Amino acid sequence: MIQQQSARLETRAGEALTLQGVRFTGTLRGTLFEADLEQRFANPFERHVELVYSFPLPWAAVLLGVEVRIGERRLSGAVIEKRQAEQGYEDALAEGNTTILLEQNVDGSYTLNLGNLAPGETCVVRLRYAQVLQFEQHGLRLVVPTVIAPRYGDPVADAGLKPHQLVEHDLMAVYPFELTLRIEGELARARIGSPSHPLSTRLEGEGETAAMLVSLGRGGALDRDFILVLDEVAQDSLAVCAHDTLDEGAVNVLASFCPRVPAAAHPLAVKILVDCSGSMQGDSIAAARRALQAIVAGLREGERFSLSRFGSTVEHRSRALWRTSPATRLAGQRWAAQLQADLGGTEMEKALDSTLALAGDASVSPGAGEGAAPVDLLLITDGQIHAIDRTVAKARALGHRVFVVGIGSAPAEGVLRRLAEESGGACDFVAPGETVEPAVLRMFARLRSQRMASLALAWPAGAKPLWMSALPGSVFDGDAVTVWARFAQVPDGTVRLIGRRTHASVPESLGEACLTAAEHDSALSRMAVAAQIETLLATEGAQSRQALELAVAYQLVSPLTHFLLVETRAEADKPADMPDLVKVPSMLPAGFGGLGSLDFCIDPCMAPLTVNEAPEHYGSPAAASGAYLDFDDPFDAPVVLRSGRRADHGDTPNKAGTYDIPAFLRRSSNQDAGQPPRDDPRYWCAEPHYTGLTPLGLTQWLRSHPQAEWPQRYAELRRLGVGTAVLDWLEFVLAEGEGESLVVACFVQVMAQRDLYEALLSDTGALGRLKALAQRVAPGAALKVSQDDPAAASILARLQVFVSTLRAERWPDCVFALQDGASALEQSGVGVG
């Protein structure tokens, strides 16, 4: 007898799925977006279950309603105080009734608890929410998050999540995703595109009633955020009034300004910090490399920057901020091209601490006065961390504005926006396949925007708000500023955004909007109340009685309230035992951790990367030093960049900051007793800004090996253990266009001198002896260099100054500043002679 089995959704491993799929619909009118999120569940098992599913909603979205259908029964619940809701859920569960609890988690995500779903039973949960989209650099970006990526840290201790709220991921799970959007009004004529999904669009109607219908061009899944970008949008300030739904006579106001802020006169000073943790592997680190190369190329002459990367540890490319020059720009491009996601976990708090403290007062050159640019921090990351509260507090306490470029198919938008906004910075995002340059240009516009010492609103005469949301700490040209307020009656007139520049005494108008007649808009009114609740929680914490009363009165799910639904079952339908707990696993984001790649919609304007062999730049074909990236970049990037691979290790990626350790520094059974150990800091340096041989370590190696074994190329110096900072200085500063073999020969011969070795060996700071020794460095001392070669004479003359600043354990500051030794001494006020 053939056994019949009904169709069901399964994972690739053949396991039954409890989440059948998600359908999303939304309408965009101006900047107000209202959406329905429909989640379909089923119990494929032969027992009662309790399904638990954690999912994201957009940043600053307000949940307006929950509707539930179990089988053919339509049910409704209510928003109540969270402890009462949690107890009610547990009681209903124990009594055998069907119950649903929807809770907002402390990290901004939501958890749906569906208790006592009977065998074969289906459940559809429909969530309604709204949000106000923000104009950013004269465009709109709509994000529909679909997946919560794995995050670094302890979700309970660091993020305050409860055990049942933790997200579990299943590599084999696939959940269908459908989407339909309706864009009305002037936005229907905007240029519309998506870097995340292929789209199908259709224009409906004509004139003022025209609407653009947008749907997915092919089947989607819950493995990446949906992103819709609207460009060429007419941007203007607006103020909308809406009657309150409960308080008769009261009016809620949404005022959104499009400020015009002039660019600052001073040059930029920015510390760039790149996330190279394991979660960035794959699409994210590739996008980070592109973004960083565009950022470095877009810096202007004389502007200052530093480069750092982090994971479990922090690595700084320099000891202080570089001044932008051809040398530092090339070195920065090369550093960016080598980035790998190979530094372990995401210790963002420690990385911010280390980077914000980098250089300190040394970042400002001597003689810089009050007009010197304050230093900002630009962070490139996917934001996948749990310990966000400590990280935000650290950034705010250290006084730097943090600007964030979010990377990946499902970045932690809430984490990144909090970090940026609470430090006075701004946030932008780059999805896999999306053109990097526009986001970089937008960020440069913000960084160069004039700082405002204070912001204020000037309401019409006689209009005084009963309550108003806080103004942001910073305002940027082209980025909207949104304010919520409540009035006892309709205000009439114009509201203005007023700002005062730093060091200015007179405030100026940044934008104004005319208040419109009040409408009966329930969504807008409840969103204003949600903003008021958020303000109360920020000032009074979880003990705010007024916040709780408002959330219950206006039926808003909040940190203080949950949605609860209970359906009483007939005694015959109740289970004999407690239901089995089944957590609905999440899909992994596309391209996360190097698993697959989000290859859709690679921008046609972006030139493909090609791999070529290069005879110069850290090696030759004979030395087989590796492949090089040759690309066409509108920011005038270098033609040849070194790859992160070394031929002597096959295809193993080179981890920046790790090097081949020379034999005399490695411990082994046959190591000579007189050779120094690897852990001796006089010979080997392992610091955040440099890892490799010290000057004494290099001279020791050269003195202990015959000249036939001395390095002749940059790649050979690298294999000895000479660090990136020294190699870049040789190529970009010392060489001045001369050939690699000549530069290396001069450098090696100078470093191999007996007197230099003895001076470094005998004293860690024998400056006088080194200066005397420098006078004896001449072309004749370089045995492999022709004595009548003018190029060699010029290089050796500059090495005289270099030698005079050497220390046994430390390379000169000119190396890390990518400056000529004489120029560095002049800037520091020390004479060359």
Side-chain angles (χ1 to χ4, degrees):
M1 179 178 179
I2 299 177
Q3 188 174 8
Q4 298 285 339
Q5 183 176 3
S6 60
R8 69 174 188 177
L9 285 176
E10 296 180 342
T11 69
R12 294 191 182 103
E15 299 175 349
L17 285 176
T18 50
L19 177 60
Q20 303 291 290
V22 170
R23 179 180 295 115
F24 184 91
T25 58
T27 302
L28 181 61
R29 304 181 187 90
T31 58
L32 181 62
F33 181 63
E34 297 184 67
D36 287 345
L37 180 66
E38 184 182 276
Q39 301 167 339
R40 301 187 300 276
F41 299 93
N43 180 2
F45 309 107
E46 297 180 356
R47 60 192 185 277
H48 283 72
V49 297
E50 178 189 9
L51 300 182
V52 178
Y53 176 51
S54 293
F55 60 93
L57 285 184
W59 167 255
V62 177
L63 186 61
L64 298 176
V66 183
E67 299 176 6
V68 179
R69 188 178 75 246
I70 297 180
E72 298 301 322
R73 309 185 304 278
R74 294 185 179 273
L75 310 174
S76 60
V79 174
I80 60 177
E81 192 272 333
K82 72 173 186 177
R83 292 184 181 177
Q84 181 183 352
E86 291 168 355
Q87 188 61 53
Y89 176 81
E90 295 297 336
D91 291 344
L93 204 64
E95 293 169 2
N97 295 318
T98 300
T99 180
I100 292 177
L101 180 71
L102 179 65
E103 49 192 329
Q104 183 181 16
N105 305 326
V106 293
D107 66 349
S109 64
Y110 289 78
T111 296
L112 179 70
N113 306 267
L114 175 53
N116 275 328
L117 195 64
E121 203 166 42
T122 61
C123 177
V124 178
V125 178
R126 183 187 177 200
L127 308 175
R128 293 184 295 107
Y129 72 81
Q131 67 179 131
V132 176
L133 301 185
Q134 299 279 28
F135 279 104
E136 294 180 347
Q137 303 298 296
H138 313 289
L140 285 175
R141 187 182 183 92
L142 170 65
V143 178
V144 179
T146 65
V147 58
I148 301 174
R151 295 182 181 178
Y152 176 77
D154 188 326
V156 176
D158 294 338
L161 294 175
K162 299 176 182 178
H164 73 278
Q165 297 170 342
L166 307 186
V167 179
E168 297 179 354
H169 294 84
D170 187 346
L171 183 62
M172 308 303 291
V174 178
Y175 304 122
F177 174 61
E178 306 170 51
L179 177 139
T180 303
L181 300 178
R182 181 182 177 88
I183 303 173
E184 300 180 351
E186 291 294 328
L187 293 179
R189 300 178 179 84
R191 188 176 66 172
I192 299 174
S194 172
S196 61
H197 294 73
L199 297 181
S200 175
T201 59
R202 178 169 60 87
L203 186 63
E204 184 181 79
E206 297 180 358
E208 297 181 357
T209 61
M212 180 65 72
L213 302 182
V214 179
S215 59
L216 298 184
R218 61 170 182 256
L222 299 181
D223 65 343
R224 69 198 70 183
D225 293 349
F226 172 82
I227 301 170
L228 189 73
V229 179
L230 295 90
D231 289 329
E232 300 178 0
V233 177
Q235 184 180 3
D236 197 6
S237 300
L238 60 90
V240 181
C241 303
H243 288 293
D244 192 87
T245 55
L246 295 182
D247 189 356
E248 186 177 354
V251 174
N252 295 303
V253 174
L254 165 65
S256 181
F257 300 94
C258 301
R260 295 294 178 259
V261 182
H266 56 69
L268 291 184
V270 59
K271 299 173 183 178
I272 302 171
L273 178 62
V274 187
D275 186 348
C276 287
S277 63
S279 67
M280 291 282 290
Q281 185 65 45
D283 286 339
S284 295
I285 196 64
R289 280 194 292 261
R290 300 199 316 271
L292 186 56
Q293 288 170 347
I295 288 167
V296 173
L299 289 165
R300 298 169 182 170
E301 292 293 322
E303 294 183 328
R304 295 177 292 129
F305 70 101
S306 66
L307 299 170
S308 305
R309 73 185 197 117
F310 77 97
S312 298
T313 58
V314 187
E315 297 176 1
H316 304 300
R317 176 60 184 84
S318 60
R319 290 174 178 162
L321 273 71
W322 280 339
R323 288 200 172 272
T324 304
S325 66
T328 56
R329 186 178 282 116
L330 286 171
Q333 293 277 6
R334 172 173 288 172
W335 185 86
Q338 291 180 292
L339 287 177
Q340 300 289 338
D342 56 2
L343 291 184
T346 313
E347 294 284 357
M348 188 181 292
E349 181 184 0
K350 295 178 181 178
L352 284 172
D353 196 358
S354 176
T355 305
L356 292 173
L358 180 67
D361 293 337
S363 64
V364 180
S365 62
E370 292 184 359
V375 181
D376 293 315
L377 188 142
L378 178 58
L379 174 65
I380 302 175
T381 179
D382 57 7
Q384 306 300 351
I385 60 170
H386 283 298
I388 180 56
D389 290 333
R390 293 199 309 269
T391 303
V392 169
K394 176 67 67 175
R396 191 167 52 227
L398 290 172
H400 283 55
R401 298 188 304 178
V402 179
F403 294 81
V404 183
V405 177
I407 298 290
S409 59
E413 182 181 7
V415 171
L416 300 182
R417 289 201 181 275
R418 274 195 62 194
L419 184 59
E421 292 180 7
E422 295 193 28
S423 65
C427 197
D428 217 317
F429 294 89
V430 178
E434 189 172 14
T435 307
V436 171
E437 285 76 10
V440 172
L441 289 173
R442 292 193 297 267
M443 198 57 75
F444 273 131
R446 295 184 182 101
L447 284 164
R448 294 190 174 107
S449 186
Q450 189 71 248
R451 288 186 182 229
M452 291 292 164
S454 62
L455 293 174
L457 283 188
W459 295 99
K464 184 177 181 179
L466 302 174
W467 165 84
M468 188 180 78
S469 61
L471 287 164
S474 296
V475 60
F476 305 99
D477 184 66
D479 285 2
V481 174
T482 298
V483 180
W484 296 93
R486 179 193 291 263
F487 290 83
Q489 57 187 8
V490 179
D492 184 20
T494 299
V495 56
R496 294 186 299 141
L497 178 65
I498 306 296
R500 182 175 60 84
R501 303 187 195 183
T502 305
H503 305 306
S505 58
V506 180
E508 57 187 288
S509 177
L510 302 178
E512 61 180 42
C514 183
L515 292 159
T516 63
E519 301 176 355
H520 292 277
D521 191 323
S522 173
L524 203 63
S525 179
R526 294 176 67 196
M527 291 175 71
V529 175
Q532 185 177 0
I533 293 172
E534 183 179 353
T535 301
L536 289 168
L537 291 174
T539 55
E540 302 178 18
Q543 305 304 316
S544 176
R545 187 66 189 175
Q546 185 181 0
L548 174 59
E549 292 174 351
L550 286 172
V552 173
Y554 288 85
Q555 289 292 282
L556 295 169
V557 175
S558 72
L560 303 180
T561 53
H562 295 335
F563 170 84
L564 177 66
L565 181 152
V566 177
E567 182 196 26
T568 302
R569 287 184 177 271
E571 290 296 326
D573 296 333
K574 292 182 178 180
D577 200 355
M578 292 293 287
D580 291 347
L581 178 64
V582 177
K583 295 193 74 171
V584 180
S586 174
M587 294 183 66
L588 274 172
F592 181 86
L595 297 174
S597 177
L598 204 167
D599 57 0
F600 165 72
C601 198
I602 298 298
D603 194 280
C605 299
M606 183 178 297
L609 297 178
T610 58
V611 178
N612 301 304
E613 289 295 327
E616 298 291 330
H617 297 271
Y618 286 17
S620 63
S625 60
Y628 296 80
L629 299 177
D630 185 6
F631 65 101
D632 182 19
D633 190 286
F635 287 94
D636 198 20
V639 176
V640 180
L641 295 175
R642 182 181 54 190
S643 75
R645 300 180 181 272
R646 295 190 306 221
D648 55 328
H649 286 273
D651 288 334
T652 302
N654 171 38
K655 298 182 179 181
T658 62
Y659 302 87
D660 290 339
I661 310 301
F664 84 92
L665 293 177
R666 293 196 297 264
R667 291 185 180 273
S668 62
S669 58
N670 60 354
Q671 184 176 357
D672 294 339
Q675 291 182 335
R678 173 181 173 180
D679 56 1
D680 190 332
R682 295 181 301 164
Y683 299 91
W684 185 266
C685 180
E687 298 180 359
H689 59 268
Y690 178 80
T691 300
L693 286 172
T694 64
L696 179 58
L698 178 57
T699 58
Q700 168 76 6
W701 191 95
L702 294 171
R703 296 296 301 170
S704 61
H705 287 73
Q707 293 185 21
E709 298 180 12
W710 287 0
Q712 302 178 40
R713 314 289 290 183
Y714 297 136
E716 294 170 17
L717 282 171
R718 181 181 181 86
R719 283 194 289 271
L720 289 186
V722 177
T724 299
V726 178
L727 297 174
D728 284 350
W729 183 81
L730 292 174
E731 181 177 0
F732 298 140
V733 178
L734 183 65
E736 286 192 338
E738 297 298 336
E740 177 180 348
S741 59
L742 177 62
V743 173
V744 173
C746 290
F747 176 68
V748 167
Q749 289 293 333
V750 168
M751 294 300 297
Q753 294 176 98
R754 172 184 289 275
D755 288 347
L756 175 60
Y757 170 67
E758 292 177 350
L760 293 174
L761 186 62
S762 63
D763 196 336
T764 57
L767 180 59
R769 186 173 181 181
L770 289 171
K771 281 191 173 183
L773 171 65
Q775 304 304 317
R776 299 201 299 270
V777 177
L783 302 180
K784 291 187 177 181
V785 180
S786 173
Q787 297 187 22
D788 57 358
D789 187 344
S794 174
I795 293 173
L796 289 168
R798 292 158 65 206
L799 283 171
Q800 290 182 16
V801 180
F802 173 81
V803 167
S804 72
T805 60
L806 283 178
R807 297 293 184 274
E809 304 173 18
R810 178 185 174 98
W811 293 99
D813 288 340
C814 66
V815 167
F816 299 95
L818 286 177
Q819 293 179 323
D820 185 85
S823 300
L825 286 175
E826 289 175 2
Q827 287 189 12
S828 63
V830 178
V832 179

